[in-house]
Amino acid sequence: MLRIYNTLTGQKEEFKPIVEGKIGMYVCGNTVYDFCHIGHARAMISFDVISRILRHLDYDLTYVRNITDVDDKIIKRAAENGELPSDLTERMIEAQQEDEKALGNLPPDREPKATEFMQEIINMIKTLVDKGFAYQSDSGDVFYRASRFTDYGKLNNRKLEEMLAGARVEVTESKEHPADFVLWKPVKEGEVHWDSPWGKGRPGWHIECSAMSTNCLGDHFDIHGGGPDLKFPHHENEIAQSEAATGKDYVNYWMHCGAVRVNNEKMSKSLGNFFTIREVLKLYNPEVLRYLMVSSHYRSPIDYSDQSLNDAKVALERLYNALRDQSCSEIPESSDYRTRFTAALNDDFNTPVALSVLFDLVRDLNKAKTESAELAETLAAELTNLASVLGLLYQDADYFLKNGTFDAEGISADDIEKLIEERKQARKDKNFSRSDEIRDLLAEKGIELLDSREGTSWTRK
């Protein structure tokens, strides 16, 4: 029985899909004006793992994650770059897809762009205006009447006035109430725009997700997810405008992943602790970053640091070392490992407990190698199969152990192999001082050489 922590109710609940065996899940994606950072990686990996788990549990999942490709930040950045907003967004979408592929993420079933749903966005705004939930102000903006929606604040379990205290809410004289939020913005000179009943302009951020999610999954669907910073105002506003427009409950289960902190501080460019995924992957194998995210429960905050990444690398090495030079047999139909692994996933996607089952498997696999080749092959197959549910152990073991991380000087596998060949020739020439010099040089780089009758292999410490 799957249980999910529902942000809407503040507790774990037995999951009951609207249609038995089927799930519609919408996750708020990125605003594509810059390269993805490690905070994005947290949300992307968390919901990739959740989608894998739901399919492992035999649900027929439709996973939708949007792309915000029209926004103030996009327009500003494109102007600074001297390029069209569409050129900027296409470039950043391609970069995001490259990052996700490197991290082992599977693509969502649908990835709608806001600009592709402009008529649906306009239609929803018109419905809200017609029902009296929205109005056009003297400034030309169309605003949502937050005070008209009696359940406003139910996701955050706070009343309207309580949420306004201390919140960053845009206040303008044209609003009827400080909590009202923009649905449609009038065009400014040189900006991208569309025709609408309220004049040329473009949508506000919140209405885009309501229109895309309901058009992709229906007015009422199972799961809506996103980062912790989206609970208010974005998701609160989504609920208000969607339920006012359709007259139906919007989402049954709300899920939010934990925040990323860097060395126990909030990530910020001003603090100099802001890292893009690409910067991290210059120093670490992508699976190390993925393991770091999976090793923490998706709802828990996670601390990003060199130490946490190195700990993740060591843990992954233990898994891969168990598989090095180990053949696999067919996957067993059932086992105690699989039962415990699935039980952990059914408990609100508890990946840390699921990982502990994998390490139990590694312990027993290492023991079986000296006792029963047949059992070792079965356990290796079970290990790789269960790990794949989390998107782990997708690389060749030998490759990972040689490429788990890179030092600042960026010594590559090719460079290491060349030095090993040079050392081999030095030993053949009885130039043992050069042979030792190469071993010491590689040791300084964190490279451990393993000499045997078959030759010299190596791994990164």
Side-chain angles (χ1 to χ4, degrees), residues 56 331-345 353-354 356-361 363-364 375 378-379 382-383 386:
H56 172 72
I331 302 163
E333 291 184 7
S334 63
S335 69
D336 175 64
Y337 308 108
R338 185 173 295 269
T339 299
R340 291 190 291 125
F341 183 83
T342 302
L345 301 183
V353 173
S356 72
V357 177
L358 298 188
F359 283 104
D360 287 346
L361 254 170
R363 178 199 62 212
D364 295 343
L375 177 59
T378 299
L379 294 176
E382 185 80 302
L383 175 60
L386 295 182

Side-chain angles (χ1 to χ4, degrees), residues 35-326:
F35 293 110
C36 295
H37 54 67
I38 56 175
H40 295 136
R42 172 65 159 157
M44 293 189 300
I45 292 173
S46 292
F47 286 100
D48 175 70
V49 170
I50 287 167
S51 70
R52 289 169 179 264
I53 292 171
L54 290 172
R55 291 188 170 112
H56 172 72
L57 298 175
D58 291 328
Y59 286 102
D60 180 6
L61 172 69
T62 301
Y63 174 22
V64 180
R65 188 189 62 197
N66 77 294
I67 291 173
T68 298
D69 60 344
V70 55
D71 180 84
D72 290 343
K73 293 176 181 177
I74 292 171
I75 292 170
K76 183 175 182 292
R77 180 61 57 83
E80 292 170 351
N81 293 350
E83 63 182 326
L84 294 173
S86 58
D87 291 341
L88 171 63
T89 57
E90 286 305 310
R91 190 158 50 82
M92 291 298 103
I93 290 169
E94 183 177 351
Q96 175 182 307
Q97 291 171 344
E98 290 172 354
D99 288 346
E100 289 213 77
K101 186 176 180 180
L103 291 171
N105 283 358
L106 300 173
D109 297 301
R110 295 191 64 180
E111 203 162 20
K113 300 176 185 176
T115 54
E116 297 171 343
F117 281 76
M118 204 53 60
Q119 190 56 55
E120 289 81 359
I121 291 169
I122 291 169
N123 291 345
M124 182 171 273
I125 297 173
K126 187 176 185 304
T127 297
L128 292 170
V129 171
D130 292 344
K131 287 186 171 185
F133 282 95
Y135 60 93
Q136 186 169 23
S137 69
D138 294 339
S139 65
D141 297 277
V142 178
F143 288 104
Y144 181 89
R145 284 191 175 96
S147 58
R148 173 75 186 276
F149 187 68
T150 55
D151 282 340
Y152 193 88
K154 65 181 179 179
L155 180 64
N156 291 268
N157 195 28
R158 297 171 70 189
K159 293 182 179 180
L160 179 61
E161 299 305 326
E162 292 175 344
M163 287 189 293
L164 285 176
R168 283 197 235 173
V169 176
E170 183 182 359
V171 178
T172 68
E173 293 181 359
S174 56
K175 287 185 181 183
E176 293 179 355
H177 188 281
D180 293 351
F181 55 90
V182 68
L183 301 173
W184 189 260
K185 302 179 180 183
V187 65
K188 295 179 181 177
E189 185 177 353
E191 285 187 350
V192 59
H193 59 272
W194 290 262
D195 292 325
S196 80
W198 317 282
K200 296 181 183 298
R202 58 187 173 86
W205 175 38
H206 310 302
I207 194 67
E208 295 176 355
C209 280
S210 286
M212 284 186 283
S213 63
T214 54
N215 274 274
C216 291
L217 295 173
D219 294 343
H220 180 207
F221 56 94
D222 299 289
I223 298 173
H224 194 313
D229 55 323
L230 300 181
K231 284 175 60 179
F232 181 80
H234 184 54
H235 287 164
E236 198 71 66
N237 291 350
E238 271 194 71
I239 291 172
Q241 62 202 6
S242 300
E243 295 190 358
T246 67
K248 301 176 183 178
D249 288 339
Y250 180 38
V251 173
N252 285 356
Y253 301 87
W254 285 87
M255 300 178 66
H256 295 89
C257 62
V260 173
R261 297 177 67 81
V262 178
N263 293 316
N264 290 312
E265 290 186 308
K266 184 177 180 180
M267 185 171 64
S268 168
K269 287 184 178 180
S270 62
L271 294 174
N273 63 357
F274 182 92
F275 301 103
T276 66
I277 294 172
R278 297 188 163 209
E279 288 170 333
V280 176
L281 299 193
K282 288 179 181 177
L283 300 176
Y284 289 87
N285 184 292
E287 197 172 352
V288 172
L289 180 57
R290 183 179 185 88
Y291 184 93
L292 174 63
M293 301 299 179
V294 174
S295 64
S296 176
H297 190 274
Y298 78 92
R299 285 192 288 115
S300 300
I302 193 166
D303 186 52
Y304 172 93
S305 65
D306 287 342
Q307 183 61 53
S308 63
L309 281 168
N310 287 329
D311 289 345
K313 174 180 171 287
V314 169
L316 262 178
E317 284 178 341
R318 186 179 168 197
L319 295 175
Y320 271 115
N321 269 313
L323 293 173
R324 197 175 201 178
D325 301 322
Q326 174 62 53

Side-chain angles (χ1 to χ4, degrees), residues 379-395:
L379 294 176
E382 185 80 302
L383 175 60
T384 53
N385 180 256
L386 295 182
S388 70
V389 177
L390 307 179
L392 296 173
L393 303 187
Y394 58 87
Q395 301 180 70

Side-chain angles (χ1 to χ4, degrees), residues 4-13 154-155 252:
I4 296 177
Y5 182 88
N6 190 351
T7 308
L8 187 64
T9 61
Q11 60 186 9
K12 285 185 191 178
E13 299 177 1
K154 65 181 179 179
L155 180 64
N252 285 356

